Amino acid sequence: QVQLVQSGAEVKKPGASVKVSCKASGYTFTSYGISWVRQAPGQGLEWMGWISAYNGNTNYAQKLQGRVTMTTDTSTSTAYMELRSLRSDDTAVYYCARLVVVAATPDYFDYWGQGTLVTVSS
Amino acid sequence: SSELTQDPAVSVALGQTVRITCQGDSLRSYYASWYQQKPGQAPVLVIYGKNNRPSGIPDRFSGSSSGNTASLTITGAQAEDEADYYCNSRDSSGNHLGVVFGGGTKLTVL
């Protein structure tokens, strides 16, 4: 069965960086994309970007351009999301999701990881 | 980027039918997908494409679209359907390979 298992909770100070991992299993990793979505406490879902596990191409939300990097390691079927220059408003649960890609364009998210809480506090 | 607008809250009596809507210019070009999220849990896909349900999603969930509005309909709402529901679609302005989410609708089953 398809599973996305994320790394554990993190506590970071403002200005630091965080790197969250998402290990996929149960499917051919390179046949899909991986997207990252975050949710601040009590708020809605915010799309952060996605990466093609097939060729490594990325597309980021404009709001996060320059602070976020998404990568994949196809040898271990793992995706990573690094967010730099953390601020208090980056405190959120970060989800990875398997992205169905059609003709190199994003379609829908059919499986989600369990979420990783990232807390930014001095 | 495009925006998708949802009503913040909707309520429905047990066993009745409820429609949750999502409005935005991108929906004139792209289908919406719908996600259910219960407290403390990750979102779950309930509808994608024209009107497709993933395996395991009850057939009381259905989707439709007209113009700039997509709708998620629950026919015969159950207590376990009480949750937040989010729509999303591709971005139709600026970043055409990007994705946007609606703000979410909190569904209460009375």
Side-chain angles (χ1 to χ4, degrees), chain A residues 61-115:
Chain A
Q62 186 173 11
K63 172 182 178 182
L64 297 172
Q65 286 273 5
R67 285 208 301 140
V68 68
T69 300
M70 296 176 188
T71 57
T72 58
D73 181 344
T74 56
S75 68
T76 60
S77 299
T78 303
Y80 299 92
M81 185 283 299
E82 181 180 34
L83 189 61
R84 299 176 294 278
S85 302
L86 288 168
R87 310 187 287 248
S88 58
D89 62 355
D90 290 319
T91 294
V93 175
Y94 288 74
Y95 294 102
C96 63
R98 190 176 82 165
L99 175 63
V100 174
V101 179
V102 178
T105 61
D107 200 341
Y108 57 90
F109 313 109
D110 59 352
Y111 289 92
W112 294 66
Q114 83 275 19

